[in-house]
Amino acid sequence: MDKFFQELRKIQKKERGNSSLAKVDNNFYSLIYSYINDLIDNVSDDPFSNVNYLLKDTQRIATEICERREHKIAEAALMNIHRSYHLFKGKPEFDLLDTTPLNLTDEEEKLYYSLIDAFKNHRNNISLDSFNKSSKKEESATVFNQDTSRENSHQMDDSDDEVLNRLNEISKGKVLENEKSESVEKQIINSKIERAKKIMLTMPLSRLTNLLMKGNQ
C-alpha cells in the first residue's frame, strides 16, 4: 500500500475523531485528483485486481474526507453567525478573523466566506431593520395613494359643480314669446336689401348718381 493512500487513511481517522479540521497541505485536493487519475490510468480489465480495489477505496475515503470537512466548515460558519449577529438585540457585530476555522485550504476558505455572506444576507432580510424599512415604505405608499385619491375626488367635485352651474343657467333662461316668424323667401329678400345698402354706403357718390339716373330712365 503506497504512502499517499496511507496518508488519506490517517486524515480520515482525524476527521472522524475530531470536531476541528485535520491539518492538510494547501494543495490537498489537487493531490487527490492527481492520485486518482494515476490509478485510473493503471487500472486493469480485471475487476478484482489490487489497483481496482485501491481505486475504489481511495474514491470512498476521499469522498468521506471532503464531506466531513464541508460539514465542519458549514457548521463553523453558522456558529460564527450565531455568536456575532444578534437578530433582535441591536446592530450586529462581527469578529470573523478570531473564529475562522484553522487548517482551511484556499478552496475551503472561499467556501467558508461564501457561507458567511449567505447567512449575513439571510439575517439582514429577516432583521428588525429590514422589516422597519419595509413598513415605512408601505406607509409612504399608503399616504401617497390616499393623497392621490383625495386630489382626484376634488377634481371630480369641481367638474360636477361646473356642470351643475351650467344646467342652472340653462334652466333659468327666458323663453322668447310672441316672436314673429318670417318665411324663408322674405328672409332672403331682407338679406339682399341689407347687402345692397352696405354696397351703396361704400360706393363713390358719382357712381351712385349715375346708377340712379339710369334707373329713372
Side-chain angles (χ1 to χ4, degrees):
M1 191 176 296
D2 59 36
K3 185 178 180 181
F4 187 78
F5 184 80
Q6 292 177 357
E7 185 64 25
L8 282 180
R9 292 295 301 270
K10 290 179 182 179
I11 295 173
Q12 180 190 31
K13 291 179 180 179
K14 291 179 181 179
E15 295 296 349
R16 286 179 175 180
N18 299 320
S19 59
S20 59
L21 295 172
K23 187 175 182 179
V24 297
D25 293 333
N26 192 49
N27 61 343
F28 174 67
Y29 292 105
S30 64
L31 291 175
I32 292 177
Y33 176 79
S34 298
Y35 182 73
I36 291 177
N37 275 345
D38 290 341
L39 291 177
I40 292 174
D41 292 338
N42 295 316
V43 74
S44 64
D45 295 333
D46 182 7
F48 302 104
S49 66
N50 291 333
V51 178
N52 273 322
Y53 280 120
L54 184 59
L55 175 60
K56 292 179 180 178
D57 286 342
T58 301
Q59 291 171 330
R60 176 180 56 81
I61 293 171
T63 299
E64 181 183 342
I65 291 172
C66 293
E67 290 177 349
R68 287 183 178 275
R69 291 178 73 88
E70 288 171 348
H71 179 78
K72 293 176 183 179
I73 293 168
E75 188 176 48
L78 185 58
M79 292 299 296
N80 190 11
I81 288 292
H82 289 175
R83 284 192 296 264
S84 58
Y85 197 119
H86 304 292
L87 270 174
F88 309 112
K89 297 180 181 179
K91 295 183 178 179
E93 295 181 0
F94 288 93
D95 189 16
L96 297 180
L97 294 178
D98 292 341
T99 54
T100 301
L102 298 176
N103 302 326
L104 292 172
T105 66
D106 290 342
E107 299 87 354
E108 291 170 340
E109 187 174 339
K110 291 179 181 178
L111 171 63
Y112 173 76
Y113 284 108
S114 67
L115 291 172
I116 288 291
D117 290 338
F119 285 129
K120 283 171 61 178
N121 291 334
H122 169 67
R123 291 217 161 190
N124 283 330
N125 291 333
I126 63 173
S127 66
L128 290 175
D129 292 338
S130 176
F131 285 108
N132 286 336
K133 291 178 182 178
S134 299
S135 61
K136 288 180 180 179
K137 288 181 180 179
E138 291 176 358
E139 290 176 0
S140 299
T142 302
V143 172
F144 174 77
N145 291 333
Q146 290 177 349
D147 292 340
T148 304
S149 299
R150 292 194 190 101
E151 183 178 354
N152 293 335
S153 178
H154 290 321
Q155 292 177 353
M156 292 177 63
D157 291 341
D158 293 340
S159 177
D160 293 342
D161 291 341
E162 184 177 352
V163 172
L164 291 175
N165 291 335
R166 183 59 180 164
L167 290 174
N168 289 332
E169 291 178 359
I170 294 173
S171 64
K172 294 178 181 179
K174 294 182 179 180
V175 180
L176 296 178
E177 298 179 354
N178 299 327
E179 182 180 9
K180 296 180 179 180
S181 59
E182 296 180 344
S183 63
V184 176
E185 292 81 0
K186 189 173 182 180
Q187 291 179 10
I188 294 173
I189 293 172
N190 291 335
S191 176
K192 289 181 178 180
I193 293 173
E194 291 296 329
R195 191 182 305 169
K197 287 181 180 180
K198 290 181 180 179
I199 295 173
M200 291 174 64
L201 290 174
T202 58
M203 187 179 296
L205 183 60
S206 59
R207 175 66 176 166
L208 181 60
T209 303
N210 291 333
L211 289 174
L212 290 174
M213 290 177 63
K214 289 181 180 180
N216 292 330
Q217 292 178 356

